[in-house]
Amino acid sequence: MSNGTAQSPFSPGAEASEVSTNNPSAFLAQITGAKVAVKLNSGVEYRGDLQCVDGYMNIALERTEEYVDGILKNQYGDVFLRGNNVLYISSI
Amino acid sequence: MATSQLLPLELVDKCVGSRIWVVMKADREFSGTLLGFDDFVNMVLEDVTEYDNLGNQTHLDKILLNGNNICMLIPGGEPGGEVGSE
């Protein structure tokens, strides 16, 4: 992701000794397709299969479980999470 | 005569590969090994402990932490053991 006219975050900034999961873009490429846990700023957590993610941390998940206060509350087939709400994306 | 400054992102770059303590804006903290970061200080952390506002701890293998809510970074730091820390 280069800094051109379309400004997307996740520009590779740090030096790469190990390219695999060094920077955010590489990490996201690596975990796409895998099961992830996404915590939002509100504390609600979503676990599901990571379909895709973009430079703004917008996320599409499949087979999603919604955990509020650590307790399973809902399940969804497809979920779109707006990136501004995302606290972290974790591999599980 | 060039004075040698240490820029903030240079300090963060020095921490890559070692432990770092991340304090967020709300009452939340993360402690982990810094794998990498980007210009927005979104961070990839490994072997992470998440500390929430209740003092609960969660372990996470590898995370991409959104830089939006990061307040402070402490190199080599683990929470606890400091006078008046709570």
Side-chain angles (χ1 to χ4, degrees):
Chain A
M1 303 190 179
S2 55
N3 280 332
T5 49
Q7 284 230 327
S8 173
F10 298 149
S11 48
E15 294 172 6
S17 50
E18 285 184 20
V19 191
S20 54
T21 52
N22 184 17
N23 57 44
S25 329
F27 175 70
L28 293 174
Q30 192 193 49
I31 62 169
T32 305
K35 188 143 198 219
V36 296
V38 181
K39 184 168 277 198
L40 303 188
N41 294 330
S42 60
V44 177
E45 187 173 325
Y46 293 87
R47 295 178 164 233
D49 304 328
L50 184 63
Q51 289 307 298
C52 56
V53 67
D54 68 10
Y56 298 96
M57 280 204 213
N58 295 320
I59 296 165
L61 295 175
E62 266 186 6
R63 298 186 331 143
T64 311
E65 298 162 325
E66 177 181 82
Y67 293 84
V68 179
D69 294 332
I71 304 163
L72 178 64
K73 288 285 182 180
N74 274 308
Q75 288 177 303
Y76 307 103
D78 284 312
V79 160
F80 172 82
L81 299 168
R82 200 174 189 277
N84 66 304
N85 299 300
V86 173
L87 175 66
Y88 67 69
I89 305 169
S90 170
S91 61
I92 52 179
Chain B
M1 256 167 45
T3 51
S4 175
Q5 284 189 18
L6 182 64
L7 296 173
L9 293 182
E10 287 176 1
L11 176 58
V12 182
D13 192 45
K14 284 188 169 195
C15 292
V16 172
S18 54
R19 299 293 292 182
I20 193 166
W21 176 16
V22 182
V23 178
M24 314 297 282
K25 289 185 210 171
D27 292 328
R28 200 183 289 270
E29 299 172 5
F30 294 84
S31 174
T33 305
L34 177 60
L35 294 185
F37 67 102
D38 62 11
D39 288 347
F40 301 91
V41 202
N42 298 307
M43 306 177 78
V44 183
L45 299 170
E46 187 175 50
D47 188 24
V48 182
T49 307
E50 174 186 2
Y51 305 83
D52 69 9
N53 56 331
L54 305 166
N56 297 324
Q57 296 183 21
T58 314
H59 182 265
L60 304 158
D61 288 336
K62 199 180 286 189
I63 70 171
L64 169 59
L65 183 62
N66 194 335
N68 204 16
N69 300 306
I70 291 176
C71 179
M72 184 163 65
L73 303 174
I74 300 106
E78 299 273 338
E82 292 191 20
V83 176
S85 58
E86 276 300 317

